[in-house]
Amino acid sequence: MPSYDIPSQKGARNHNESRRFVCGPCGKKITLSKDMRVLKEKQISQIKQFKNPDYDVNNPVYPIGICNTCRNKLNKAEKTGDSSVLPAMLNYEDILLPKTTISGTDYTGHTC
């Protein structure tokens, strides 16, 4: 499993917690908790194979969630070898990350 730390607490989410509610492949917000899934190793490998070889869940710029639509499309792309079914992926590296997040964690990179 990926080694990202997600504390479970009530109240406002910090940056790491919020990363679960954004779909990595399409960048859309996952609004229903029942639809929220954290990326598994297989899906991370599929993203690296079909969309972005530099995708790194340990890098705070990348989301760690996946929506049902992208999960199904990644599986279809793997079975057929056709990556055209996948949505265009955002260039997360270009999104600036604040120096300090709500949780007080200092980052020197970007954010999603």
Side-chain angles (χ1 to χ4, degrees):
M1 282 304 289
S3 62
Y4 36 79
D5 181 36
I6 303 172
S8 59
Q9 61 187 30
K10 293 200 176 207
R13 286 182 240 157
N14 65 29
H15 179 74
N16 261 351
E17 291 169 324
S18 295
R19 292 172 60 207
R20 296 180 301 163
F21 291 90
V22 177
C23 178
C26 70
K28 292 182 181 177
K29 183 177 180 182
I30 303 169
T31 56
L32 298 175
S33 292
K34 69 179 181 74
D35 292 335
M36 189 280 303
R37 289 184 169 85
V38 175
L39 288 167
K40 295 180 180 175
E41 286 295 335
K42 176 184 176 184
Q43 295 155 341
I44 295 167
S45 295
Q46 291 169 328
I47 291 170
K48 287 181 177 183
Q49 178 183 357
F50 295 113
K51 297 308 290 180
N52 182 353
D54 297 324
Y55 199 89
D56 179 9
V57 294
N58 295 312
N59 183 335
V61 303
Y62 293 105
I64 57 174
I66 187 163
C67 68
N68 288 329
T69 300
C70 286
R71 184 175 53 85
N72 291 330
K73 288 182 177 184
L74 281 171
N75 287 331
K76 183 176 181 179
E78 184 177 56
K79 287 178 186 172
T80 65
D82 180 14
S83 64
S84 67
V85 298
L86 298 169
M89 182 177 265
L90 297 173
N91 188 355
Y92 295 107
E93 295 89 356
D94 288 345
I95 302 172
L96 295 177
L97 181 75
K99 294 290 183 193
T100 304
T101 63
I102 292 172
S103 68
T105 306
D106 289 332
Y107 290 110
T108 56
H110 303 74
T111 190
C112 52

